Amino acid sequence: MTAVTTTPPPRLPVRDKAEARERAWGGVSPMLTRLAAERATGVLVRERGTLHLAEGRVVHAESPAAPGLGTLLTAHGTLDADTWRQAADEAAEPPGAGLLLVGRGRLTRGALELCHLETLYDAAYFALAPSSTPGRFRYTSPGRSGAVRAVPVAALEHETLRRRDLLHRIWPDPATDEAPLLRADTVALPALTARQRAVLHLVDGVRTAPEIARAMGRPAFHTLVDVRRLAAAGVLVRGALKPAEAARIETTDPDITLLKRLRDALESL
Amino acid sequence: MANTETSLKEALASIEGATGVALVDYTSGMALGTMGGSKGFDLSVAAAGNTDVVRAKMRTMEHLGLKGQIEDILITLSDQYHLIRLISGRGGNGLFLYLVLDAKRSNLAMARHQLKRIEEDLEV
């Protein structure tokens, strides 16, 4: 037997970690970091969502991809839809409506705080996603309704990066995050959790992950976690894209087309 | 009814030997609140890691076809106890309390009982 020995490859140049962290600091949104430093109050509008700031801390976040506070509170019978709608009409923003309901004894403070934090981090995950257009910030006067909980920008950025990393570790292909989902033809279904079965039940070739999240009354990121796990297990695949999105993704670069065909062929093995 | 911060404070103050406590969402692994811990013991890291413990146990139970619910999970180290209590309330689906105890100073049965009471107070 002959042992094949090769010289080890030269060590890759590694950046100083502390310096890299410093540099990555502006990675999520340099504008947000600056606004936090100057303790700004106002609304940051980004391509995929908005963040509401009060004295440099995030008090509320919204994204079309993430279900709002009302959806979460009404989906599991904590509140009925009418009570929520009424409060939402009276208050300027969802957190204000939540506080109103706490004041009336319809909602417990703990339940509101937890739901608020869940929706805030959930919406911020999408709002802080890499975007193709610059964000805009509008300074406003401090809100009247008060905040449920204010989150430091650093904590929010840290959590957003951790979430991106978590999804990447589960299944590195983001194709299923926004496209309509289809069940794959699998011979044997692997053992699934109750939540995964619930997600799979709503997969119909039309709904996207955020739409499934809304239908279930769960945070969108949590649904993405389940969807990526299902994709990793080969139970789910991306369905046909809606026309507008398909046009954006279509490419004529021969290398990319070849790679895509290769990928599809490998996946269908 | 308590808010999250008072609940965590209470856990740390009233449970003998408690050195850290966290309220964790186990799908995302995010700590919704932490209290205590130390420089050498980052509660958010512990929180994120322990979501895998909870998930593994839940999956095993699904595989076995067990219908019961997990109340708590106990991990004993040579000098610490880690107690995970799943929150069963209506809206609290998907959360757990994570408690770190100093093994020498704590009474496990008592801690478990107190954590259960705090969970009920949290009422989420």
Side-chain angles (χ1 to χ4, degrees):
Chain A
M1 181 171 151
T2 53
V4 180
T5 52
T6 53
T7 49
R11 284 194 56 164
L12 288 168
V14 180
R15 275 193 206 143
D16 177 29
K17 271 200 178 142
E19 196 192 321
R21 211 170 297 139
E22 207 49 31
R23 204 189 327 238
W25 183 231
V28 180
S29 163
M31 188 176 188
L32 185 59
T33 313
R34 186 172 54 74
L35 290 167
E38 69 177 56
R39 300 174 62 81
T41 297
V43 186
L44 175 65
V45 182
R46 283 173 59 91
E47 190 180 26
R48 302 194 51 200
T50 53
L51 298 178
H52 296 242
L53 273 71
E55 294 189 352
R57 289 155 78 92
V58 182
V59 289
H60 176 50
E62 280 169 356
S63 167
L69 190 57
T71 314
L72 250 57
L73 284 170
T74 50
H76 302 291
T78 312
L79 278 178
D80 61 89
D82 284 339
T83 313
W84 173 259
R85 207 172 307 123
Q86 209 180 339
D89 287 343
E90 287 173 50
E93 284 161 5
L99 288 170
L100 216 62
L101 290 166
V102 170
R104 287 177 194 162
R106 301 299 302 265
L107 189 64
T108 59
R109 177 85 199 186
L112 173 65
E113 270 185 17
L114 293 177
C115 274
H116 174 252
L117 282 179
E118 289 276 12
T119 46
L120 194 157
Y121 279 102
D122 194 35
Y125 171 78
F126 295 98
L128 292 174
S131 59
S132 53
T133 52
R136 282 176 290 115
F137 189 73
R138 197 176 69 240
Y139 287 91
T140 59
S141 56
R144 294 141 286 144
S145 51
V148 180
R149 273 274 281 275
V151 178
V153 164
L156 194 65
E157 293 191 322
H158 180 261
E159 177 63 21
T160 302
L161 289 174
R162 199 186 63 77
R163 288 182 174 212
R164 269 186 215 169
D165 190 47
L166 175 68
L167 280 188
H168 188 79
R169 277 202 316 266
I170 295 170
W171 185 240
D173 184 4
T176 48
D177 287 2
E178 287 165 57
L181 299 170
L182 265 180
R183 289 177 80 130
D185 302 320
T186 39
V187 185
L189 214 61
L192 301 173
T193 64
R195 280 169 188 235
Q196 286 170 344
R197 277 197 299 274
V199 169
L200 203 57
H201 186 70
L202 289 171
V203 166
D204 58 359
V206 181
R207 287 197 189 94
T208 62
E211 283 161 7
I212 290 173
R214 196 160 287 123
M216 290 171 73
R218 294 188 55 206
F221 178 80
H222 293 46
T223 310
L224 286 190
V225 169
D226 278 334
V227 163
R228 289 240 191 154
R229 288 211 169 101
L230 288 167
V235 181
L236 267 188
V237 288
R238 185 181 72 177
L241 286 173
K242 287 169 186 163
E245 290 166 53
R248 201 179 63 200
I249 285 173
E250 214 48 66
T251 171
T252 47
D253 187 319
D255 289 341
I256 293 176
T257 328
L258 178 68
L259 281 171
K260 282 191 167 173
R261 272 171 49 210
L262 201 60
R263 182 196 64 192
D264 292 345
L266 282 170
E267 276 175 356
S268 64
L269 277 180
Chain B
M1 174 57 210
N3 70 20
T4 50
E5 208 165 309
T6 35
S7 292
L8 295 181
K9 250 185 212 150
E10 194 194 336
L12 211 53
S14 71
I15 300 176
E16 190 75 23
T19 58
V21 62
L23 179 63
V24 190
D25 171 310
Y26 70 66
T27 311
S28 65
M30 176 178 68
L32 291 158
T34 60
M35 199 137 300
S38 63
K39 235 187 194 155
F41 193 97
D42 186 338
L43 274 168
S44 354
V45 174
N50 276 284
T51 59
D52 291 335
V53 175
V54 175
R55 219 167 60 78
K57 185 63 199 168
M58 289 199 148
R59 226 184 34 205
T60 313
M61 287 174 54
E62 292 263 352
H63 284 232
L64 291 170
L66 298 179
K67 291 282 173 282
Q69 297 292 319
I70 304 175
E71 284 192 349
D72 42 27
I73 298 173
L74 169 68
I75 296 163
T76 60
L77 311 181
S78 51
D79 57 345
Q80 288 181 1
Y81 297 134
H82 294 179
L83 198 54
I84 292 168
R85 175 145 200 113
L86 274 80
I87 294 178
S88 50
R90 197 163 49 172
N93 207 356
L95 301 176
F96 67 82
L97 276 164
Y98 177 70
L99 181 70
V100 183
L101 296 162
D102 180 344
K104 282 192 215 73
R105 291 192 290 129
S106 58
N107 176 337
L108 204 49
M110 196 61 185
R112 189 171 170 246
H113 175 74
Q114 280 170 309
L115 196 60
K116 182 176 181 184
R117 195 178 41 76
I118 288 164
E119 181 226 316
E120 281 161 4
D121 275 356
L122 199 56
E123 207 183 281
V124 284

